[in-house]
């Protein structure tokens, strides 16, 4: 069996949506806007991409999805065939469900009140019990994706609903109460879109607006609203940040604009938020902004804090490109060390996989990274990385630097040791596969990696570095650190057997 050996975590996916306002049919190219938005979110998932659009009439939605990158799925011919006034899109890395076309999103389901299309980012923490409940009712499941579970909850008629008219806000409220963690979703129904974020705010979701000059007055007028997993997707489509979707909020967007339908509280009055802290550490693009602070700047502060906690005499500071760069620059700012590249990255290779021998593992790393010998020879190097999962890549890079003449290699990690699996949409291996559980996080780890020293950023240092840029925003002090501390916002389900799942 092949497992990814890039020694990095993988986020589950990204969602994007667009609604034209005012005149329909719109003059905007909605499929192209969604295509460009998803391309900017490609770092969140590279396995598949999909798009569903509606003209706002009673005709079936246009749907296209396939395996591969956004650019491979959405050719000019495809984009021309999915014209619409409103649409949603998705790019996927599978965490729940196998990687196959069957599990690609969005999915379209028929309900008593018309079709809905759904795409989501995350993983349901109670997916096991929810799947079991659906199967016990005699309802068959066509996929292994959590998205289908969401669709079944939304398609069910709430007891207090008028059977002649669907109340989608009420149905989404039921969903949020049924499964409060962990997802952000977009839902397309007829001529409007809903944007929803779980009650704990674990997955990110924000709204932007596209404005164009009015022909008569010349002043900017909003022509469309977009919804995205990250704000970095706004600039490529000419959109500006409008606002975040709040934790537990149900936002309805149609031709008339943006409407906050409801905000659902967390279970049992729990006031603590749980925004995934690894959105700052690794997953999000550096130019994304969360609650007023740029991800790059948060990582830079983590590097500064890392230097305060674990500075060491050295000649230069460098990073494993590219996610460690901003922390390395912060480390250099705090210590006065120059930031100098020691590795160049080959950007045009596919994912690498675990090889059957140490020699082949090292060759896989050499295929991905090249050493800048003139910057390495005779230098005492502080090497920064964002995290360690299995450690295969890092150990091979330390060996490479030694081979090219590094006098010393001191590894510094801009996050705490990963010790616990994630049940909320991040592809973290089992506890046994996480190297921090089998090798002492610092003393023995340095020897294991072949480094002169190895130190992690503390949990307190990570949280304080991120909180320092949040001001008094809604995410202040509300981060999920379960993969670092084992303290989960909710208790996850147990595992189901294949027989129970019907596979």
């Amino acid at each position: 069996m092949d497992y990814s050996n890039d020694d990095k975590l993988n986020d589950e996916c990204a969602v994007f949506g667009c609604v034209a306002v005012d005149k329909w049919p719109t003059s905007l190219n909605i499929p192209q806007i969604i295509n460009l938005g998803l391309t900017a979110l490609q770092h969140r998932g590279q396995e598949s991409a999909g798009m569903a659009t509606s003209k706002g009439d009673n005709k079936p939605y246009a749907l296209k999805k396939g395996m591969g990158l956004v650019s491979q799925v959405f050719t000019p011919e495809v984009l021309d065939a999915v014209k619409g006034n409103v649409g949603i899109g998705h790019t996927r890395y599978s965490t729940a469900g196998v990687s196959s076309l069957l599990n690609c999103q969005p999915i379209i389901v028929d309900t008593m009140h018309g079709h809905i299309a759904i795409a989501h980012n995350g993983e349901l923490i109670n997916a096991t019990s929810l799947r079991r409940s659906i199967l016990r009712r005699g309802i068959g499941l066509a996929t292994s994706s959590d998205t289908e579970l969401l669709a079944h909850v939304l398609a069910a008629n709430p007891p207090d609903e008028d059977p002649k008219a669907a109340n989608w806000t009420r149905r989404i409220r039921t969903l949020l109460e049924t499964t409060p963690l962990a997802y952000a979703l977009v839902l397309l129904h007829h001529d409007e879109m809903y944007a929803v974020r779980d009650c704990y705010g674990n997955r990110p979701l924000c709204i932007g607006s596209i404005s164009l000059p009015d022909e008569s007055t010349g002043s900017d007028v909003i022509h469309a609203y977009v919804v995205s997993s990250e704000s970095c997707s706004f600039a490529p489509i000419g959109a500006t940040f409008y606002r975040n979707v709040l934790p537990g909020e149900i936002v309805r967007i149609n031709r008339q604009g943006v409407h906050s339908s409801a905000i659902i509280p967390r279970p049992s009055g729990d006031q603590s938020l749980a925004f995934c802290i690894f959105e700052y550490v690794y997953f999000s693009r550096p130019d994304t902004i969360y609650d007023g602070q740029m991800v790059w700047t948060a990582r830079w502060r983590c590097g500064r804090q890392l230097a305060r906690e674990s500075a060491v005499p050295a000649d230069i500071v460098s990073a494993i490109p590219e996610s460690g760069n901003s922390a390395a620059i912060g480390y250099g700012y705090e210590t006065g060390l120059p930031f100098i590249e020691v590795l160049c990255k080959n950007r045009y290779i596919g994912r690498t996989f675990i090889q059957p021998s140490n020699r082949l593992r090292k060759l896989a790393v050499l295929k991905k990274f090249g050493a800048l010998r003139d910057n390495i020879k005779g230098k005492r190097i502080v090497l920064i990385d964002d995290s360690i999962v299995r450690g295969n890549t890092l150990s091979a890079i330390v060996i490479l630097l030694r081979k090219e003449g590094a006098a010393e290699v001191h590894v510094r990690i801009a996050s705490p040791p990963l010790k616990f699996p994630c049940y909320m949409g991040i592809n973290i291996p089992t506890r046994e596969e996480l190297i921090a559980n089998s090798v002492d996080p610092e003393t023995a780890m340095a020897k294991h990696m072949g480094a002169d020293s190895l130190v992690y950023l503390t949990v307190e240092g990570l949280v304080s570095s991120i909180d320092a840029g949040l001001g008094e925003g809604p995410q202040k002090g509300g981060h999920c650190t379960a993969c670092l501390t084992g303290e989960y916002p909710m208790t996850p389900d147990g595992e189901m057997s294949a027989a129970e799942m019907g596979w």
Side-chain angles (χ1 to χ4, degrees), residues 18-21 26 28 30 33 208-211 221-226 239:
C18 183
V19 180
V21 300
T26 179
L28 296 175
I30 300 299
I33 290 172
S209 62
I210 298 176
S211 298
V221 176
I222 293 177
H223 280 242
Y225 288 100
V226 292

Side-chain angles (χ1 to χ4, degrees), residues 157-172:
N157 295 322
D160 55 350
E161 183 182 86
D162 182 351
K164 296 181 181 179
N167 183 335
W168 289 104
T169 297
R170 179 68 184 88
R171 291 181 179 216
I172 297 170

Side-chain angles (χ1 to χ4, degrees), residues 107 109-114 116-120 130 134 137 146-158 161 166-176 178-179 183 185-188 194 196 250:
I107 67 168
V109 297
D110 194 13
T111 74
M112 288 185 63
H113 302 283
I116 57 172
I118 311 168
H120 93 286
L130 191 58
I134 291 170
R137 297 205 309 267
D146 284 358
T147 319
E148 189 178 11
L149 305 181
L150 295 172
H152 277 286
V153 176
L154 290 166
N157 295 322
E161 183 182 86
N167 183 335
W168 289 104
T169 297
R170 179 68 184 88
R171 291 181 179 216
I172 297 170
R173 175 189 287 271
T174 299
L175 172 68
L176 287 164
T178 301
T179 178
Y183 52 88
L185 68 84
V186 286
L187 183 151
L188 171 63
Y194 290 86
V196 184
I250 303 169

